[in-house]
Each structure stands twice: as C-alpha cells, then as structure tokens.
C-alpha cells in the first residue's frame, strides 16, 4: 500500500465534518511530500525541532499541528508558524504560548488536553484542573491564545467498551462547555481518535482525528 492509497481509503470513511491530521512524526520529508501531493494539508508532529525542520523544507500552505507534550522553553521555535497546539495541559504553558504568540503578532489556537485514560502515563488535565484553568483570571486576560477545543487519548487497550466510555466522558465535558464562549475560549474542535480507535472516536463525537501508522506505516 502507498501513502496516497492509504490516505484515500481513510478519507473515504471519514464524515465531512471530521478533519484528518496526518501524523508524520519520525517519518522522512519524502513521505510527507507524498501525502502532500495526494492533497493532504494538515500534518501532526510531536517534537518541536522535527516539526521546525519539516516546516522549513515543505510548502507553506501546510497547517502544522503540535500533538505532543510541549516543553515551555521550546514554544518559541514553533510560535511563528504552528496552527494548532493539541497538548496544552496547564496555565504556565498557556502563558508561554501567549507570550511567544504576542512577539509574532499572532493569536495561536490551542486545545486543552484532558486526561481521560486510566493509564498513569498519559498527560492532561483532570476535570478539576480544567475547571480551575478556565476560571482563572490570568487565563481570561490572555489576548494571544484562543482555546478552540479539547483533546484526549483513550487507554491503549483492546477493550472497546473502555475506549468508548473514555471518549463519551470527554464528549460530555466538551458539550457541557459549548455555551461558555468568551474572547479566548470557544470549544469547536474535539480531537480524539488515532489509527486504532478513530472509528469509535467519531461515533462518539470526535471531529478531528490524528492518524499516523494507518497512513505512513509503522514507526
Ligand atoms: C503518535 C500519535 C498519534 C498517531 O498514532 P497512530 O497510532 O500512529 O495513528 C496520535 N496522537 C498522538 C498524541 C500521538 O502521539
């Protein structure tokens, strides 16, 4: 199977309202080119340095999504061009993104990552931390970031009931904040679903899937 045919197969199964983020982490620029030539314009990377190098080499109409855990001291390297940061899990990180966005006269769109899996290792805010963050006065003052949605990762398990429940949980939180709209907060994007579980995610309300290995092959 080629990258182009994998992409076509996946796109055929996605509803119109679902955005496909092609997760190209660890893959060579040639692979991204192939996807680009097949029409793909949204790519996801999980390391800032790697994303920067690929951004420099590829056409400028690509939208770059940072899907990995972000270290504050590296935000400055992606601030000029990143389109969406999925893994925002704290006020300090948001403050740094806001500061760097301001330097570049930009407003950077972010998703808050919620911890929905039972595994300890997954990053993200729990419900209490999420509520505290969105009520925080410092958050409300930020002018150069916009929280446009939520992101979550389900437990890595073959038990689809567990995965389903975790996605339902995130969708409920998303819906509960739908009418809570301000200058820098409006939930429109629900980023959930990867190669192994994106069908379940879409059934449970996802409108952005992050798919790597089913497009580019194993890593
Ligand atoms: C790697 C990664 C993906 C894609 O995973 P696949 O199983 O290869 O589709 C999606 N989301 C995040 C946060 C990732 O790190």
């Amino acid at each position: 199977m080629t990258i182009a045919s994998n992409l076509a197969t996946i796109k055929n199964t996605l509803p119109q309202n679902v955005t496909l983020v092609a997760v190209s982490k660890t893959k060579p620029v040639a692979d991204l080119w192939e996807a680009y030539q097949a029409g793909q314009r949204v790519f996801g990377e999980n390391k800032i340095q790697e994303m920067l190098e690929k951004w420099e080499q590829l056409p400028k109409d690509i939208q770059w999504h940072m899907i990995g855990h972000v270290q504050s001291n590296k935000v400055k390297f992606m601030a000029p061009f990143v389109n969406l940061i999925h893994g925002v899990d704290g006020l300090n990180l948001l403050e740094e993104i806001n500061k760097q966005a301001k330097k570049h006269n930009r407003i950077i769109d972010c998703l808050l990552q919620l911890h929905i899996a039972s595994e300890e290792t997954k990053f993200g805010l729990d419900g209490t931390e999420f509520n505290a963050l969105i009520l925080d006065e410092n958050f409300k003052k930020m002018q150069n970031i916009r929280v446009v949605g939520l992101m979550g990762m389900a437990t890595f398990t073959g038990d689809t009931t567990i995965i389903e429940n975790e996605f339902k949980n995130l969708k409920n939180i998303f819906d509960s904040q739908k009418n809570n709209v301000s200058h820098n907060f409006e939930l429109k994007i629900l980023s959930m679903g990867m190669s192994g579980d994106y069908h379940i995610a879409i059934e449970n309300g996802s409108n952005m899937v992050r798919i790597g290995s089913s497009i580019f092959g194993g890593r």
Side-chain angles (χ1 to χ4, degrees), residues 13-25:
T13 71
L14 294 183
Q16 284 283 328
N17 69 316
V18 178
T19 302
L20 171 61
V21 180
V23 175
S24 48
K25 63 190 186 194

PDB file of all heavy atoms in Angstrom, residues 13-25:
ATOM      1  N   THR A  13     -13.770   7.005   4.483  1.00  0.00           N
ATOM      2  CA  THR A  13     -14.575   6.573   5.626  1.00  0.00           C
ATOM      3  C   THR A  13     -14.884   7.725   6.584  1.00  0.00           C
ATOM      4  O   THR A  13     -15.682   7.565   7.497  1.00  0.00           O
ATOM      5  CB  THR A  13     -13.866   5.461   6.429  1.00  0.00           C
ATOM      6  OG1 THR A  13     -12.748   6.045   7.115  1.00  0.00           O
ATOM      7  CG2 THR A  13     -13.381   4.343   5.520  1.00  0.00           C
ATOM      8  N   LEU A  14     -14.246   8.885   6.388  1.00  0.00           N
ATOM      9  CA  LEU A  14     -14.458   9.981   7.337  1.00  0.00           C
ATOM     10  C   LEU A  14     -15.668  10.826   6.946  1.00  0.00           C
ATOM     11  O   LEU A  14     -15.791  11.239   5.799  1.00  0.00           O
ATOM     12  CB  LEU A  14     -13.229  10.911   7.393  1.00  0.00           C
ATOM     13  CG  LEU A  14     -11.920  10.353   7.939  1.00  0.00           C
ATOM     14  CD1 LEU A  14     -10.876  11.467   7.979  1.00  0.00           C
ATOM     15  CD2 LEU A  14     -12.096   9.737   9.316  1.00  0.00           C
ATOM     16  N   PRO A  15     -16.543  11.127   7.924  1.00  0.00           N
ATOM     17  CA  PRO A  15     -17.631  12.066   7.655  1.00  0.00           C
ATOM     18  C   PRO A  15     -17.057  13.439   7.269  1.00  0.00           C
ATOM     19  O   PRO A  15     -15.933  13.778   7.649  1.00  0.00           O
ATOM     20  CB  PRO A  15     -18.365  12.153   8.994  1.00  0.00           C
ATOM     21  CG  PRO A  15     -17.952  10.948   9.759  1.00  0.00           C
ATOM     22  CD  PRO A  15     -16.581  10.605   9.298  1.00  0.00           C
ATOM     23  N   GLN A  16     -17.837  14.210   6.522  1.00  0.00           N
ATOM     24  CA  GLN A  16     -17.436  15.545   6.046  1.00  0.00           C
ATOM     25  C   GLN A  16     -16.880  16.456   7.138  1.00  0.00           C
ATOM     26  O   GLN A  16     -15.963  17.228   6.893  1.00  0.00           O
ATOM     27  CB  GLN A  16     -18.667  16.245   5.432  1.00  0.00           C
ATOM     28  CG  GLN A  16     -19.048  15.740   4.051  1.00  0.00           C
ATOM     29  CD  GLN A  16     -18.117  16.291   2.973  1.00  0.00           C
ATOM     30  OE1 GLN A  16     -17.619  17.397   3.085  1.00  0.00           O
ATOM     31  NE2 GLN A  16     -17.863  15.490   1.944  1.00  0.00           N
ATOM     32  N   ASN A  17     -17.478  16.373   8.318  1.00  0.00           N
ATOM     33  CA  ASN A  17     -17.120  17.339   9.364  1.00  0.00           C
ATOM     34  C   ASN A  17     -15.862  16.955  10.141  1.00  0.00           C
ATOM     35  O   ASN A  17     -15.462  17.661  11.063  1.00  0.00           O
ATOM     36  CB  ASN A  17     -18.289  17.492  10.346  1.00  0.00           C
ATOM     37  CG  ASN A  17     -18.491  16.219  11.171  1.00  0.00           C
ATOM     38  OD1 ASN A  17     -18.459  15.105  10.625  1.00  0.00           O
ATOM     39  ND2 ASN A  17     -18.671  16.361  12.474  1.00  0.00           N
ATOM     40  N   VAL A  18     -15.255  15.835   9.785  1.00  0.00           N
ATOM     41  CA  VAL A  18     -14.086  15.378  10.556  1.00  0.00           C
ATOM     42  C   VAL A  18     -12.785  15.756   9.842  1.00  0.00           C
ATOM     43  O   VAL A  18     -12.570  15.403   8.684  1.00  0.00           O
ATOM     44  CB  VAL A  18     -14.132  13.849  10.788  1.00  0.00           C
ATOM     45  CG1 VAL A  18     -12.888  13.380  11.532  1.00  0.00           C
ATOM     46  CG2 VAL A  18     -15.390  13.458  11.563  1.00  0.00           C
ATOM     47  N   THR A  19     -11.923  16.481  10.528  1.00  0.00           N
ATOM     48  CA  THR A  19     -10.622  16.876   9.980  1.00  0.00           C
ATOM     49  C   THR A  19      -9.599  15.778  10.237  1.00  0.00           C
ATOM     50  O   THR A  19      -9.494  15.266  11.350  1.00  0.00           O
ATOM     51  CB  THR A  19     -10.133  18.179  10.655  1.00  0.00           C
ATOM     52  OG1 THR A  19     -11.109  19.195  10.440  1.00  0.00           O
ATOM     53  CG2 THR A  19      -8.795  18.629  10.090  1.00  0.00           C
ATOM     54  N   LEU A  20      -8.858  15.439   9.188  1.00  0.00           N
ATOM     55  CA  LEU A  20      -7.813  14.426   9.307  1.00  0.00           C
ATOM     56  C   LEU A  20      -6.457  15.092   9.514  1.00  0.00           C
ATOM     57  O   LEU A  20      -5.984  15.844   8.661  1.00  0.00           O
ATOM     58  CB  LEU A  20      -7.774  13.559   8.046  1.00  0.00           C
ATOM     59  CG  LEU A  20      -6.606  12.585   7.922  1.00  0.00           C
ATOM     60  CD1 LEU A  20      -6.590  11.562   9.049  1.00  0.00           C
ATOM     61  CD2 LEU A  20      -6.635  11.881   6.556  1.00  0.00           C
ATOM     62  N   VAL A  21      -5.852  14.817  10.664  1.00  0.00           N
ATOM     63  CA  VAL A  21      -4.475  15.243  10.910  1.00  0.00           C
ATOM     64  C   VAL A  21      -3.579  14.049  10.584  1.00  0.00           C
ATOM     65  O   VAL A  21      -3.699  12.992  11.216  1.00  0.00           O
ATOM     66  CB  VAL A  21      -4.270  15.665  12.382  1.00  0.00           C
ATOM     67  CG1 VAL A  21      -2.828  16.118  12.623  1.00  0.00           C
ATOM     68  CG2 VAL A  21      -5.257  16.752  12.784  1.00  0.00           C
ATOM     69  N   ALA A  22      -2.719  14.209   9.580  1.00  0.00           N
ATOM     70  CA  ALA A  22      -1.805  13.128   9.214  1.00  0.00           C
ATOM     71  C   ALA A  22      -0.583  13.198  10.129  1.00  0.00           C
ATOM     72  O   ALA A  22       0.198  14.148  10.070  1.00  0.00           O
ATOM     73  CB  ALA A  22      -1.386  13.269   7.757  1.00  0.00           C
ATOM     74  N   VAL A  23      -0.459  12.217  10.998  1.00  0.00           N
ATOM     75  CA  VAL A  23       0.615  12.245  11.998  1.00  0.00           C
ATOM     76  C   VAL A  23       1.896  11.671  11.391  1.00  0.00           C
ATOM     77  O   VAL A  23       2.015  10.472  11.151  1.00  0.00           O
ATOM     78  CB  VAL A  23       0.203  11.467  13.265  1.00  0.00           C
ATOM     79  CG1 VAL A  23       1.370  11.402  14.257  1.00  0.00           C
ATOM     80  CG2 VAL A  23      -1.008  12.132  13.920  1.00  0.00           C
ATOM     81  N   SER A  24       2.833  12.585  11.118  1.00  0.00           N
ATOM     82  CA  SER A  24       4.031  12.246  10.336  1.00  0.00           C
ATOM     83  C   SER A  24       5.292  12.165  11.192  1.00  0.00           C
ATOM     84  O   SER A  24       6.402  12.107  10.649  1.00  0.00           O
ATOM     85  CB  SER A  24       4.194  13.280   9.227  1.00  0.00           C
ATOM     86  OG  SER A  24       4.058  14.603   9.740  1.00  0.00           O
ATOM     87  N   LYS A  25       5.145  12.138  12.488  1.00  0.00           N
ATOM     88  CA  LYS A  25       6.316  12.071  13.386  1.00  0.00           C
ATOM     89  C   LYS A  25       7.219  10.887  13.017  1.00  0.00           C
ATOM     90  O   LYS A  25       6.702   9.821  12.652  1.00  0.00           O
ATOM     91  CB  LYS A  25       5.845  11.952  14.840  1.00  0.00           C
ATOM     92  CG  LYS A  25       5.061  10.683  15.135  1.00  0.00           C
ATOM     93  CD  LYS A  25       4.424  10.734  16.524  1.00  0.00           C
ATOM     94  CE  LYS A  25       3.768   9.410  16.865  1.00  0.00           C
ATOM     95  NZ  LYS A  25       2.864   9.517  18.022  1.00  0.00           N
TER      96      LYS A  25
END
